């Protein structure tokens, strides 16, 4: 589970970087295509935060079990 979660975290960070590169700075930052990119960025960041918290909770639980 730990390695799988780490791979997902790395993939999500890559997806966030990809979405940031899709922002069109030559056009208005509030244009409709940029708003779609912003929505994907927010969704990816929320999934990343959730995954990081789940990973930390799981790793603490397995560390406590291994100490006993």
């Amino acid at each position: 589970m730990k390695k799988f979660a780490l791979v997902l975290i790395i993939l999500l960070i890559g997806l966030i970087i990809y979405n940031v590169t899709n922002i069109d700075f030559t056009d208005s930052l509030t244009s409709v295509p940029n708003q779609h990119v912003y929505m994907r960025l927010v969704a990816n960041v929320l999934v990343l935060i959730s995954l990081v918290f789940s990973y930390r909770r799981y790793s603490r639980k397995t560390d406590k079990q291994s100490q006993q």
Side-chain angles (χ1 to χ4, degrees):
M1 169 65 185
K2 279 186 174 183
K3 290 183 182 181
F4 182 69
L6 285 175
V7 169
L8 284 178
I9 289 171
I10 291 169
L11 288 175
L12 273 170
I13 291 171
L15 192 59
I16 289 170
I17 292 169
Y18 172 75
N19 283 328
V20 167
T21 60
N22 282 338
I23 295 175
D24 186 13
F25 292 104
T26 60
D27 197 12
S28 171
L29 289 179
T30 58
S31 67
V32 174
N34 280 342
Q35 288 177 1
H36 292 290
V37 174
Y38 300 150
M39 293 303 291
R40 288 193 304 264
L41 276 171
V42 168
N44 290 338
V45 167
L46 290 176
V47 170
L48 180 64
I49 290 170
S50 172
L51 187 60
V52 166
F53 282 137
S54 296
Y55 173 75
R56 291 185 68 207
R57 187 173 355 122
Y58 179 79
S59 63
R60 285 181 187 170
K61 187 170 93 172
T62 56
D63 289 344
K64 285 181 183 178
Q65 289 176 353
S66 65
Q67 288 177 355
Q68 292 177 352

Short mmCIF file of all heavy atoms in Angstrom, two decimals:
data_model
loop_
_atom_site.label_atom_id
_atom_site.label_comp_id
_atom_site.label_asym_id
_atom_site.label_seq_id
_atom_site.Cartn_x
_atom_site.Cartn_y
_atom_site.Cartn_z
N MET A 1 0.82 -1.19 0.00
CA MET A 1 0.00 0.00 0.00
C MET A 1 0.87 1.26 0.00
O MET A 1 0.56 2.22 -0.69
CB MET A 1 -0.92 -0.05 1.22
CG MET A 1 -1.64 1.22 1.53
SD MET A 1 -2.79 1.64 0.22
CE MET A 1 -3.37 3.21 0.75
N LYS A 2 1.96 1.21 0.77
CA LYS A 2 2.81 2.40 0.87
C LYS A 2 3.42 2.77 -0.47
O LYS A 2 3.40 3.93 -0.87
CB LYS A 2 3.92 2.19 1.90
CG LYS A 2 3.50 2.39 3.32
CD LYS A 2 4.74 2.29 4.20
CE LYS A 2 4.44 2.62 5.62
NZ LYS A 2 5.63 2.60 6.45
N LYS A 3 3.95 1.79 -1.17
CA LYS A 3 4.60 2.07 -2.44
C LYS A 3 3.59 2.53 -3.48
O LYS A 3 3.86 3.42 -4.28
CB LYS A 3 5.35 0.85 -2.94
CG LYS A 3 6.57 0.54 -2.12
CD LYS A 3 7.33 -0.63 -2.67
CE LYS A 3 8.52 -0.93 -1.78
NZ LYS A 3 9.32 -2.03 -2.29
N PHE A 4 2.40 1.93 -3.46
CA PHE A 4 1.35 2.31 -4.40
C PHE A 4 0.91 3.76 -4.16
O PHE A 4 0.73 4.52 -5.10
CB PHE A 4 0.16 1.35 -4.28
CG PHE A 4 -0.95 1.65 -5.23
CD1 PHE A 4 -0.77 1.45 -6.59
CD2 PHE A 4 -2.15 2.14 -4.78
CE1 PHE A 4 -1.79 1.72 -7.48
CE2 PHE A 4 -3.17 2.41 -5.66
CZ PHE A 4 -2.99 2.20 -7.02
N ALA A 5 0.77 4.13 -2.90
CA ALA A 5 0.38 5.50 -2.57
C ALA A 5 1.47 6.50 -2.98
O ALA A 5 1.16 7.58 -3.48
CB ALA A 5 0.08 5.63 -1.08
N LEU A 6 2.72 6.13 -2.79
CA LEU A 6 3.81 7.01 -3.21
C LEU A 6 3.83 7.20 -4.72
O LEU A 6 4.06 8.32 -5.21
CB LEU A 6 5.15 6.46 -2.72
CG LEU A 6 5.44 6.64 -1.23
CD1 LEU A 6 6.74 5.95 -0.87
CD2 LEU A 6 5.50 8.09 -0.88
N VAL A 7 3.56 6.15 -5.45
CA VAL A 7 3.50 6.26 -6.91
C VAL A 7 2.35 7.17 -7.32
O VAL A 7 2.50 8.02 -8.20
CB VAL A 7 3.36 4.85 -7.55
CG1 VAL A 7 3.03 4.94 -9.02
CG2 VAL A 7 4.63 4.06 -7.34
N LEU A 8 1.20 7.02 -6.67
CA LEU A 8 0.07 7.89 -6.97
C LEU A 8 0.37 9.35 -6.65
O LEU A 8 -0.02 10.25 -7.40
CB LEU A 8 -1.17 7.44 -6.19
CG LEU A 8 -1.88 6.20 -6.72
CD1 LEU A 8 -3.06 5.85 -5.82
CD2 LEU A 8 -2.35 6.41 -8.14
N ILE A 9 1.06 9.59 -5.55
CA ILE A 9 1.42 10.96 -5.18
C ILE A 9 2.35 11.56 -6.24
O ILE A 9 2.15 12.71 -6.67
CB ILE A 9 2.07 10.98 -3.78
CG1 ILE A 9 1.01 10.70 -2.71
CG2 ILE A 9 2.75 12.32 -3.51
CD1 ILE A 9 1.57 10.48 -1.32
N ILE A 10 3.32 10.80 -6.69
CA ILE A 10 4.24 11.29 -7.72
C ILE A 10 3.50 11.56 -9.02
O ILE A 10 3.73 12.57 -9.69
CB ILE A 10 5.40 10.30 -7.90
CG1 ILE A 10 6.28 10.31 -6.66
CG2 ILE A 10 6.22 10.63 -9.14
CD1 ILE A 10 7.30 9.20 -6.61
N LEU A 11 2.59 10.66 -9.40
CA LEU A 11 1.82 10.87 -10.62
C LEU A 11 0.92 12.10 -10.53
O LEU A 11 0.79 12.84 -11.50
CB LEU A 11 0.97 9.63 -10.92
CG LEU A 11 1.74 8.41 -11.41
CD1 LEU A 11 0.81 7.22 -11.55
CD2 LEU A 11 2.42 8.70 -12.73
N LEU A 12 0.33 12.34 -9.37
CA LEU A 12 -0.51 13.51 -9.20
C LEU A 12 0.30 14.80 -9.26
O LEU A 12 -0.15 15.79 -9.83
CB LEU A 12 -1.27 13.44 -7.87
CG LEU A 12 -2.59 12.71 -7.92
CD1 LEU A 12 -3.13 12.47 -6.53
CD2 LEU A 12 -3.58 13.45 -8.77
N ILE A 13 1.49 14.79 -8.71
CA ILE A 13 2.35 15.96 -8.80
C ILE A 13 2.71 16.23 -10.26
O ILE A 13 2.69 17.37 -10.72
CB ILE A 13 3.61 15.79 -7.92
CG1 ILE A 13 3.21 15.84 -6.44
CG2 ILE A 13 4.65 16.86 -8.23
CD1 ILE A 13 4.32 15.47 -5.49
N GLY A 14 2.98 15.18 -11.00
CA GLY A 14 3.24 15.33 -12.43
C GLY A 14 2.05 15.87 -13.19
O GLY A 14 2.18 16.70 -14.09
N LEU A 15 0.85 15.41 -12.82
CA LEU A 15 -0.37 15.89 -13.46
C LEU A 15 -0.62 17.36 -13.14
O LEU A 15 -1.05 18.13 -14.00
CB LEU A 15 -1.56 15.04 -13.01
CG LEU A 15 -2.86 15.20 -13.75
CD1 LEU A 15 -2.67 14.90 -15.23
CD2 LEU A 15 -3.91 14.30 -13.16
N ILE A 16 -0.30 17.78 -11.93
CA ILE A 16 -0.43 19.19 -11.56
C ILE A 16 0.54 20.04 -12.37
O ILE A 16 0.17 21.10 -12.88
CB ILE A 16 -0.23 19.36 -10.03
CG1 ILE A 16 -1.42 18.77 -9.28
CG2 ILE A 16 -0.02 20.82 -9.67
CD1 ILE A 16 -1.22 18.68 -7.79
N ILE A 17 1.76 19.57 -12.51
CA ILE A 17 2.74 20.31 -13.32
C ILE A 17 2.28 20.39 -14.77
O ILE A 17 2.39 21.45 -15.41
CB ILE A 17 4.14 19.64 -13.20
CG1 ILE A 17 4.68 19.82 -11.78
CG2 ILE A 17 5.10 20.21 -14.23
CD1 ILE A 17 5.91 19.00 -11.49
N TYR A 18 1.74 19.30 -15.28
CA TYR A 18 1.22 19.31 -16.65
C TYR A 18 0.10 20.34 -16.81
O TYR A 18 0.05 21.07 -17.80
CB TYR A 18 0.72 17.91 -17.01
CG TYR A 18 -0.02 17.85 -18.33
CD1 TYR A 18 0.68 17.92 -19.53
CD2 TYR A 18 -1.40 17.74 -18.36
CE1 TYR A 18 0.01 17.87 -20.74
CE2 TYR A 18 -2.07 17.70 -19.56
CZ TYR A 18 -1.37 17.77 -20.75
OH TYR A 18 -2.03 17.73 -21.94
N ASN A 19 -0.81 20.40 -15.83
CA ASN A 19 -1.91 21.36 -15.92
C ASN A 19 -1.41 22.80 -15.82
O ASN A 19 -1.96 23.68 -16.47
CB ASN A 19 -2.95 21.08 -14.84
CG ASN A 19 -3.83 19.90 -15.19
OD1 ASN A 19 -4.10 19.66 -16.36
ND2 ASN A 19 -4.25 19.16 -14.19
N VAL A 20 -0.40 23.04 -15.03
CA VAL A 20 0.15 24.39 -14.92
C VAL A 20 0.75 24.81 -16.26
O VAL A 20 0.63 25.97 -16.67
CB VAL A 20 1.19 24.48 -13.78
CG1 VAL A 20 1.98 25.77 -13.85
CG2 VAL A 20 0.49 24.36 -12.43
N THR A 21 1.36 23.88 -16.96
CA THR A 21 1.94 24.23 -18.26
C THR A 21 0.87 24.48 -19.32
O THR A 21 1.16 25.07 -20.35
CB THR A 21 2.88 23.12 -18.77
OG1 THR A 21 2.15 21.90 -18.92
CG2 THR A 21 4.05 22.92 -17.82
N ASN A 22 -0.36 24.06 -19.07
CA ASN A 22 -1.45 24.29 -20.02
C ASN A 22 -2.11 25.65 -19.85
O ASN A 22 -2.98 26.01 -20.65
CB ASN A 22 -2.52 23.20 -19.90
CG ASN A 22 -2.10 21.93 -20.58
OD1 ASN A 22 -1.27 21.95 -21.47
ND2 ASN A 22 -2.69 20.83 -20.18
N ILE A 23 -1.73 26.42 -18.85
CA ILE A 23 -2.31 27.75 -18.67
C ILE A 23 -1.77 28.65 -19.78
O ILE A 23 -0.57 28.72 -20.01
CB ILE A 23 -1.97 28.32 -17.28
CG1 ILE A 23 -2.62 27.47 -16.20
CG2 ILE A 23 -2.43 29.76 -17.16
CD1 ILE A 23 -2.23 27.87 -14.79
N ASP A 24 -2.68 29.33 -20.45
CA ASP A 24 -2.31 30.22 -21.56
C ASP A 24 -2.10 31.62 -21.00
O ASP A 24 -3.06 32.34 -20.71
CB ASP A 24 -3.40 30.21 -22.62
CG ASP A 24 -3.01 31.00 -23.85
OD1 ASP A 24 -1.82 31.33 -23.98
OD2 ASP A 24 -3.90 31.25 -24.68
N PHE A 25 -0.84 32.02 -20.87
CA PHE A 25 -0.53 33.33 -20.30
C PHE A 25 -0.65 34.45 -21.33
O PHE A 25 -0.66 35.62 -20.96
CB PHE A 25 0.87 33.33 -19.69
CG PHE A 25 0.96 32.45 -18.47
CD1 PHE A 25 1.58 31.21 -18.54
CD2 PHE A 25 0.43 32.85 -17.26
CE1 PHE A 25 1.66 30.40 -17.42
CE2 PHE A 25 0.51 32.05 -16.14
CZ PHE A 25 1.13 30.82 -16.22
N THR A 26 -0.73 34.09 -22.61
CA THR A 26 -0.89 35.13 -23.63
C THR A 26 -2.33 35.62 -23.69
O THR A 26 -2.58 36.74 -24.10
CB THR A 26 -0.48 34.59 -25.02
OG1 THR A 26 -1.31 33.47 -25.36
CG2 THR A 26 0.98 34.18 -25.02
N ASP A 27 -3.26 34.78 -23.32
CA ASP A 27 -4.67 35.14 -23.29
C ASP A 27 -5.01 35.65 -21.89
O ASP A 27 -4.21 35.62 -20.97
CB ASP A 27 -5.51 33.90 -23.63
CG ASP A 27 -6.94 34.25 -24.02
OD1 ASP A 27 -7.20 35.44 -24.24
OD2 ASP A 27 -7.76 33.31 -24.10
N SER A 28 -6.20 36.13 -21.73
CA SER A 28 -6.65 36.58 -20.41
C SER A 28 -6.64 35.41 -19.44
O SER A 28 -7.04 34.30 -19.79
CB SER A 28 -8.08 37.15 -20.53
OG SER A 28 -8.60 37.40 -19.26
N LEU A 29 -6.17 35.66 -18.24
CA LEU A 29 -6.11 34.57 -17.25
C LEU A 29 -7.50 34.12 -16.81
O LEU A 29 -7.65 33.06 -16.22
CB LEU A 29 -5.29 35.02 -16.04
CG LEU A 29 -3.79 35.16 -16.31
CD1 LEU A 29 -3.08 35.64 -15.04
CD2 LEU A 29 -3.19 33.86 -16.78
N THR A 30 -8.53 34.93 -17.09
CA THR A 30 -9.90 34.54 -16.73
C THR A 30 -10.66 33.99 -17.92
O THR A 30 -11.88 33.87 -17.87
CB THR A 30 -10.66 35.75 -16.15
OG1 THR A 30 -10.66 36.80 -17.13
CG2 THR A 30 -10.03 36.23 -14.87
N SER A 31 -9.97 33.64 -19.00
CA SER A 31 -10.65 33.08 -20.17
C SER A 31 -11.21 31.70 -19.83
O SER A 31 -10.78 31.03 -18.89
CB SER A 31 -9.70 32.99 -21.35
OG SER A 31 -8.69 32.05 -21.08
N VAL A 32 -12.16 31.27 -20.62
CA VAL A 32 -12.84 29.99 -20.36
C VAL A 32 -11.88 28.80 -20.41
O VAL A 32 -11.93 27.95 -19.53
CB VAL A 32 -14.03 29.82 -21.33
CG1 VAL A 32 -14.66 28.44 -21.17
CG2 VAL A 32 -15.07 30.90 -21.09
N PRO A 33 -10.97 28.70 -21.40
CA PRO A 33 -10.04 27.55 -21.37
C PRO A 33 -9.16 27.55 -20.12
O PRO A 33 -8.88 26.49 -19.56
CB PRO A 33 -9.20 27.75 -22.63
CG PRO A 33 -10.04 28.55 -23.55
CD PRO A 33 -10.84 29.45 -22.66
N ASN A 34 -8.73 28.72 -19.68
CA ASN A 34 -7.93 28.78 -18.46
C ASN A 34 -8.76 28.40 -17.24
O ASN A 34 -8.25 27.78 -16.30
CB ASN A 34 -7.33 30.16 -18.27
CG ASN A 34 -6.10 30.38 -19.11
OD1 ASN A 34 -5.49 29.43 -19.58
ND2 ASN A 34 -5.72 31.62 -19.32
N GLN A 35 -10.03 28.75 -17.23
CA GLN A 35 -10.89 28.38 -16.10
C GLN A 35 -11.03 26.87 -16.00
O GLN A 35 -11.06 26.31 -14.90
CB GLN A 35 -12.26 29.04 -16.24
CG GLN A 35 -12.22 30.53 -15.98
CD GLN A 35 -13.58 31.18 -16.19
OE1 GLN A 35 -14.56 30.51 -16.50
NE2 GLN A 35 -13.63 32.48 -15.99
N HIS A 36 -11.06 26.19 -17.14
CA HIS A 36 -11.11 24.72 -17.12
C HIS A 36 -9.81 24.14 -16.54
O HIS A 36 -9.85 23.17 -15.78
CB HIS A 36 -11.35 24.17 -18.52
CG HIS A 36 -12.70 24.47 -19.07
ND1 HIS A 36 -13.85 23.89 -18.59
CD2 HIS A 36 -13.09 25.31 -20.05
CE1 HIS A 36 -14.88 24.34 -19.25
NE2 HIS A 36 -14.45 25.23 -20.15
N VAL A 37 -8.71 24.75 -16.89
CA VAL A 37 -7.43 24.31 -16.34
C VAL A 37 -7.40 24.54 -14.83
O VAL A 37 -6.95 23.68 -14.07
CB VAL A 37 -6.25 25.02 -17.03
CG1 VAL A 37 -4.93 24.68 -16.35
CG2 VAL A 37 -6.19 24.67 -18.50
N TYR A 38 -7.91 25.69 -14.37
CA TYR A 38 -7.95 25.97 -12.94
C TYR A 38 -8.80 24.95 -12.20
O TYR A 38 -8.44 24.50 -11.10
CB TYR A 38 -8.50 27.37 -12.66
CG TYR A 38 -7.71 28.50 -13.28
CD1 TYR A 38 -8.33 29.68 -13.66
CD2 TYR A 38 -6.34 28.41 -13.49
CE1 TYR A 38 -7.63 30.73 -14.23
CE2 TYR A 38 -5.62 29.44 -14.05
CZ TYR A 38 -6.27 30.60 -14.42
OH TYR A 38 -5.58 31.63 -14.98
N MET A 39 -9.92 24.57 -12.78
CA MET A 39 -10.78 23.57 -12.13
C MET A 39 -10.08 22.22 -12.04
O MET A 39 -10.17 21.54 -11.02
CB MET A 39 -12.11 23.44 -12.90
CG MET A 39 -12.96 24.68 -12.84
SD MET A 39 -13.35 25.18 -11.16
CE MET A 39 -14.45 23.89 -10.69
N ARG A 40 -9.35 21.84 -13.09
CA ARG A 40 -8.60 20.58 -13.03
C ARG A 40 -7.49 20.67 -11.99
O ARG A 40 -7.22 19.70 -11.27
CB ARG A 40 -8.03 20.25 -14.40
CG ARG A 40 -9.07 19.79 -15.40
CD ARG A 40 -8.45 19.16 -16.63
NE ARG A 40 -7.50 20.02 -17.31
CZ ARG A 40 -7.78 20.79 -18.36
NH1 ARG A 40 -9.00 20.80 -18.85
NH2 ARG A 40 -6.85 21.53 -18.93
N LEU A 41 -6.85 21.83 -11.89
CA LEU A 41 -5.79 22.01 -10.88
C LEU A 41 -6.35 21.87 -9.47
O LEU A 41 -5.76 21.20 -8.62
CB LEU A 41 -5.13 23.38 -11.04
CG LEU A 41 -4.03 23.47 -12.08
CD1 LEU A 41 -3.63 24.93 -12.28
CD2 LEU A 41 -2.84 22.66 -11.67
N VAL A 42 -7.48 22.51 -9.22
CA VAL A 42 -8.09 22.43 -7.88
C VAL A 42 -8.47 20.99 -7.56
O VAL A 42 -8.22 20.50 -6.45
CB VAL A 42 -9.32 23.36 -7.80
CG1 VAL A 42 -10.13 23.10 -6.56
CG2 VAL A 42 -8.89 24.81 -7.85
N ALA A 43 -9.05 20.30 -8.52
CA ALA A 43 -9.43 18.90 -8.30
C ALA A 43 -8.20 18.04 -8.01
O ALA A 43 -8.21 17.21 -7.09
CB ALA A 43 -10.19 18.36 -9.51
N ASN A 44 -7.13 18.26 -8.77
CA ASN A 44 -5.91 17.47 -8.56
C ASN A 44 -5.28 17.77 -7.21
O ASN A 44 -4.78 16.87 -6.54
CB ASN A 44 -4.90 17.75 -9.67
CG ASN A 44 -5.34 17.18 -11.00
OD1 ASN A 44 -6.14 16.27 -11.05
ND2 ASN A 44 -4.82 17.73 -12.07
N VAL A 45 -5.29 19.03 -6.80
CA VAL A 45 -4.71 19.38 -5.50
C VAL A 45 -5.53 18.77 -4.37
O VAL A 45 -4.96 18.25 -3.39
CB VAL A 45 -4.61 20.92 -5.35
CG1 VAL A 45 -4.31 21.32 -3.93
CG2 VAL A 45 -3.54 21.46 -6.29
N LEU A 46 -6.86 18.77 -4.49
CA LEU A 46 -7.69 18.16 -3.45
C LEU A 46 -7.46 16.66 -3.36
O LEU A 46 -7.37 16.10 -2.25
CB LEU A 46 -9.16 18.47 -3.71
CG LEU A 46 -9.58 19.92 -3.50
CD1 LEU A 46 -11.04 20.10 -3.90
CD2 LEU A 46 -9.37 20.34 -2.06
N VAL A 47 -7.33 16.00 -4.48
CA VAL A 47 -7.04 14.56 -4.47
C VAL A 47 -5.66 14.31 -3.87
O VAL A 47 -5.47 13.38 -3.08
CB VAL A 47 -7.14 13.98 -5.90
CG1 VAL A 47 -6.62 12.56 -5.94
CG2 VAL A 47 -8.58 14.03 -6.37
N LEU A 48 -4.70 15.15 -4.21
CA LEU A 48 -3.34 15.01 -3.66
C LEU A 48 -3.35 15.18 -2.15
O LEU A 48 -2.74 14.38 -1.43
CB LEU A 48 -2.40 16.02 -4.30
CG LEU A 48 -0.95 16.00 -3.83
CD1 LEU A 48 -0.30 14.68 -4.19
CD2 LEU A 48 -0.18 17.16 -4.42
N ILE A 49 -4.04 16.17 -1.64
CA ILE A 49 -4.11 16.39 -0.19
C ILE A 49 -4.76 15.19 0.49
O ILE A 49 -4.27 14.70 1.52
CB ILE A 49 -4.87 17.69 0.12
CG1 ILE A 49 -4.03 18.90 -0.31
CG2 ILE A 49 -5.23 17.78 1.60
CD1 ILE A 49 -4.79 20.21 -0.26
N SER A 50 -5.84 14.71 -0.07
CA SER A 50 -6.52 13.54 0.51
C SER A 50 -5.62 12.32 0.51
O SER A 50 -5.54 11.58 1.50
CB SER A 50 -7.79 13.26 -0.29
OG SER A 50 -8.36 12.07 0.11
N LEU A 51 -4.90 12.12 -0.58
CA LEU A 51 -4.00 10.97 -0.67
C LEU A 51 -2.84 11.07 0.30
O LEU A 51 -2.45 10.09 0.93
CB LEU A 51 -3.49 10.83 -2.10
CG LEU A 51 -2.69 9.60 -2.43
CD1 LEU A 51 -3.51 8.34 -2.19
CD2 LEU A 51 -2.24 9.65 -3.87
N VAL A 52 -2.30 12.27 0.48
CA VAL A 52 -1.19 12.46 1.42
C VAL A 52 -1.65 12.19 2.85
O VAL A 52 -0.96 11.51 3.62
CB VAL A 52 -0.59 13.88 1.28
CG1 VAL A 52 0.32 14.22 2.44
CG2 VAL A 52 0.17 14.00 -0.03
N PHE A 53 -2.83 12.70 3.21
CA PHE A 53 -3.33 12.44 4.56
C PHE A 53 -3.61 10.96 4.78
O PHE A 53 -3.31 10.41 5.84
CB PHE A 53 -4.59 13.25 4.85
CG PHE A 53 -4.31 14.69 5.18
CD1 PHE A 53 -5.10 15.68 4.64
CD2 PHE A 53 -3.27 15.05 6.01
CE1 PHE A 53 -4.86 17.02 4.94
CE2 PHE A 53 -3.01 16.36 6.32
CZ PHE A 53 -3.81 17.36 5.78
N SER A 54 -4.17 10.28 3.78
CA SER A 54 -4.42 8.84 3.91
C SER A 54 -3.11 8.07 4.04
O SER A 54 -3.00 7.14 4.83
CB SER A 54 -5.19 8.33 2.69
OG SER A 54 -6.44 8.94 2.62
N TYR A 55 -2.11 8.46 3.25
CA TYR A 55 -0.81 7.80 3.31
C TYR A 55 -0.18 7.99 4.69
O TYR A 55 0.35 7.05 5.27
CB TYR A 55 0.11 8.36 2.23
CG TYR A 55 1.53 7.86 2.32
CD1 TYR A 55 1.84 6.57 1.92
CD2 TYR A 55 2.54 8.66 2.83
CE1 TYR A 55 3.14 6.10 2.00
CE2 TYR A 55 3.83 8.19 2.93
CZ TYR A 55 4.12 6.91 2.52
OH TYR A 55 5.39 6.44 2.62
N ARG A 56 -0.24 9.21 5.22
CA ARG A 56 0.35 9.46 6.54
C ARG A 56 -0.37 8.67 7.63
O ARG A 56 0.26 8.11 8.52
CB ARG A 56 0.32 10.96 6.85
CG ARG A 56 1.27 11.75 5.96
CD ARG A 56 1.33 13.17 6.34
NE ARG A 56 1.97 13.30 7.64
CZ ARG A 56 1.74 14.30 8.48
NH1 ARG A 56 0.90 15.25 8.17
NH2 ARG A 56 2.36 14.37 9.63
N ARG A 57 -1.69 8.62 7.55
CA ARG A 57 -2.46 7.88 8.55
C ARG A 57 -2.15 6.39 8.46
O ARG A 57 -1.95 5.72 9.47
CB ARG A 57 -3.96 8.11 8.34
CG ARG A 57 -4.81 7.52 9.41
CD ARG A 57 -6.29 7.87 9.31
NE ARG A 57 -6.59 8.82 8.25
CZ ARG A 57 -7.45 8.59 7.26
NH1 ARG A 57 -8.06 7.45 7.18
NH2 ARG A 57 -7.69 9.50 6.35
N TYR A 58 -2.07 5.86 7.25
CA TYR A 58 -1.76 4.45 7.06
C TYR A 58 -0.35 4.12 7.53
O TYR A 58 -0.12 3.10 8.18
CB TYR A 58 -1.93 4.07 5.59
CG TYR A 58 -1.61 2.63 5.30
CD1 TYR A 58 -2.52 1.63 5.60
CD2 TYR A 58 -0.39 2.27 4.74
CE1 TYR A 58 -2.23 0.31 5.34
CE2 TYR A 58 -0.09 0.96 4.48
CZ TYR A 58 -1.01 -0.03 4.78
OH TYR A 58 -0.71 -1.33 4.52
N SER A 59 0.61 4.99 7.23
CA SER A 59 1.99 4.70 7.61
C SER A 59 2.16 4.79 9.13
O SER A 59 2.92 4.02 9.70
CB SER A 59 2.96 5.64 6.91
OG SER A 59 2.75 6.97 7.29
N ARG A 60 1.45 5.68 9.78
CA ARG A 60 1.52 5.74 11.25
C ARG A 60 0.92 4.49 11.87
O ARG A 60 1.44 3.96 12.85
CB ARG A 60 0.78 6.97 11.77
CG ARG A 60 1.51 8.26 11.57
CD ARG A 60 0.72 9.41 12.13
NE ARG A 60 1.34 10.67 11.79
CZ ARG A 60 0.78 11.85 11.98
NH1 ARG A 60 -0.43 11.92 12.49
NH2 ARG A 60 1.41 12.95 11.67
N LYS A 61 -0.20 4.03 11.29
CA LYS A 61 -0.86 2.85 11.82
C LYS A 61 0.03 1.63 11.66
O LYS A 61 0.15 0.81 12.58
CB LYS A 61 -2.19 2.65 11.10
CG LYS A 61 -3.04 1.55 11.69
CD LYS A 61 -4.43 1.58 11.09
CE LYS A 61 -4.50 0.67 9.93
NZ LYS A 61 -5.87 0.50 9.41
N THR A 62 0.68 1.49 10.52
CA THR A 62 1.53 0.32 10.30
C THR A 62 2.80 0.42 11.14
O THR A 62 3.34 -0.60 11.57
CB THR A 62 1.90 0.16 8.82
OG1 THR A 62 2.50 1.36 8.35
CG2 THR A 62 0.66 -0.16 8.00
N ASP A 63 3.30 1.64 11.39
CA ASP A 63 4.47 1.79 12.25
C ASP A 63 4.16 1.41 13.68
O ASP A 63 4.96 0.76 14.35
CB ASP A 63 4.97 3.24 12.20
CG ASP A 63 5.64 3.58 10.87
OD1 ASP A 63 5.98 2.63 10.12
OD2 ASP A 63 5.80 4.79 10.58
N LYS A 64 2.97 1.77 14.16
CA LYS A 64 2.58 1.40 15.53
C LYS A 64 2.41 -0.09 15.65
O LYS A 64 2.78 -0.69 16.66
CB LYS A 64 1.28 2.10 15.91
CG LYS A 64 1.43 3.57 16.22
CD LYS A 64 0.13 4.19 16.61
CE LYS A 64 0.28 5.68 16.86
NZ LYS A 64 -1.01 6.31 17.20
N GLN A 65 1.86 -0.74 14.64
CA GLN A 65 1.68 -2.19 14.68
C GLN A 65 3.01 -2.93 14.63
O GLN A 65 3.18 -3.96 15.26
CB GLN A 65 0.80 -2.64 13.53
CG GLN A 65 -0.65 -2.25 13.69
CD GLN A 65 -1.48 -2.64 12.49
OE1 GLN A 65 -0.96 -3.09 11.47
NE2 GLN A 65 -2.79 -2.45 12.60
N SER A 66 3.96 -2.39 13.91
CA SER A 66 5.27 -3.05 13.80
C SER A 66 6.08 -2.88 15.09
O SER A 66 6.94 -3.69 15.39
CB SER A 66 6.05 -2.52 12.62
OG SER A 66 6.37 -1.15 12.81
N GLN A 67 5.81 -1.85 15.86
CA GLN A 67 6.52 -1.62 17.13
C GLN A 67 6.02 -2.54 18.23
O GLN A 67 6.74 -2.83 19.16
CB GLN A 67 6.39 -0.17 17.57
CG GLN A 67 7.18 0.79 16.72
CD GLN A 67 6.96 2.25 17.15
OE1 GLN A 67 6.15 2.51 18.01
NE2 GLN A 67 7.68 3.15 16.51
N GLN A 68 4.79 -3.01 18.11
CA GLN A 68 4.22 -3.86 19.17
C GLN A 68 4.65 -5.26 19.06
O GLN A 68 5.16 -5.91 18.40
CB GLN A 68 2.70 -3.80 19.13
CG GLN A 68 2.19 -2.45 19.52
CD GLN A 68 0.66 -2.39 19.41
OE1 GLN A 68 0.01 -3.28 18.91
NE2 GLN A 68 0.10 -1.30 19.89
#
